[in-house]
Amino acid sequence: MDVVDTHGHLGPSPTGSSGETTEEEVLAAMAAQGVTTTLVMPQSLQPDERVVHDRIARFAATNPGRIYGMASISPLWEEAPYYAEARRCVRELGFKALKLHPGSYNTAPTQPRAEKCFRAAAELGVPLIIHTGLGAPPALPALVIPRARQFPHLPIVLAHAGFVAYADEALVVAQECANVYLEPSWCQFYQARRMVAAIGSERMLMGSDHPPNLAVELAKWRATGISPEHLANVFGHTPRRLFGLPDPTV
Ligand SMILES: [Zn+2]
């Protein structure tokens, strides 16, 4: 079965929460778990995101079709350098999404300085991934609703889908906003099942967050008991359509 991991990281974690994630770790976890493709981004709070974006671009170039990049740029940057790096990542490096981490940068989606993240993703034609859950209140899922309505054609992924505690709130956001997708890493298996029952599998994604957690997330999704058709959507069809990834099997 085609499996796309939509939430991977590469490089150091300046906060020390998860240590350094290496290229070898990502590829080894993919091989062990039968994952076809992984999207990777820097961890939050890099001294200079551009350094890790360049490393991710090299990783993707040496693993075509297997590794794609995503840009995680601090929302504290001024608009001009933010847009310049977003454009460079998408147009020159071929990255497939932008990421906003409201908790790490104390930047709720409703704050004025967060608007550039949504605007850049919309103008560049890529989804915006937003960390949700841990780091509330800035990371509360409901704070995405006004922006999802302001940018109705921008696909928005709620990473961690509320992170267990706010999973029901994340689901409400997806029910209220048709352009919102849920990626329930770290949520419980029955929460993921409830999300599929409520919004279907065409707006649901699998993400690991860390290579050792990949086996856990795959086991969790299989434990939901959702149909093989739903599982094929969550693992493969939905992320390939959302991020515009060619199917490596055809
Ligand atoms: Zn993450």
Side-chain angles (χ1 to χ4, degrees), residues 63-179:
N63 295 276
R66 308 259 299 143
I67 300 293
Y68 290 96
M70 301 186 288
S72 183
I73 309 163
S74 167
L76 304 180
W77 284 22
E78 297 294 330
E79 286 199 8
Y82 184 97
Y83 285 128
E85 179 61 2
R87 264 196 307 274
R88 184 181 82 95
C89 285
V90 174
R91 298 222 174 114
E92 293 176 32
L93 304 181
F95 285 13
K96 297 300 183 186
L98 303 186
K99 161 84 174 282
L100 166 64
H101 200 306
S104 295
Y105 299 97
N106 192 23
T107 300
T110 45
Q111 280 201 23
R113 66 170 176 262
E115 182 169 352
K116 61 182 174 289
C117 311
F118 294 83
R119 195 167 298 287
E123 287 177 9
L124 292 167
V126 294
L128 179 66
I129 297 175
I130 303 176
H131 170 103
T132 58
L134 277 187
L140 284 174
L143 299 181
V144 175
I145 292 175
R147 295 294 187 197
R149 291 185 174 149
Q150 182 185 356
F151 297 91
H153 303 297
L154 170 67
I156 297 170
V157 177
L158 302 190
H160 320 311
F163 220 115
V164 179
Y166 306 104
D168 285 349
E169 184 179 319
L171 179 53
V172 168
V173 178
Q175 287 174 307
E176 291 293 316
C177 306
N179 52 330

Side-chain angles (χ1 to χ4, degrees), residues 221-247:
W221 270 110
R222 292 184 170 115
T224 61
I226 61 174
S227 70
E229 291 75 21
H230 278 321
L231 207 55
N233 278 340
V234 174
F235 282 175
H237 299 141
T238 301
R240 290 210 182 273
R241 179 172 43 78
L242 174 62
F243 295 103
L245 311 177
D247 186 343

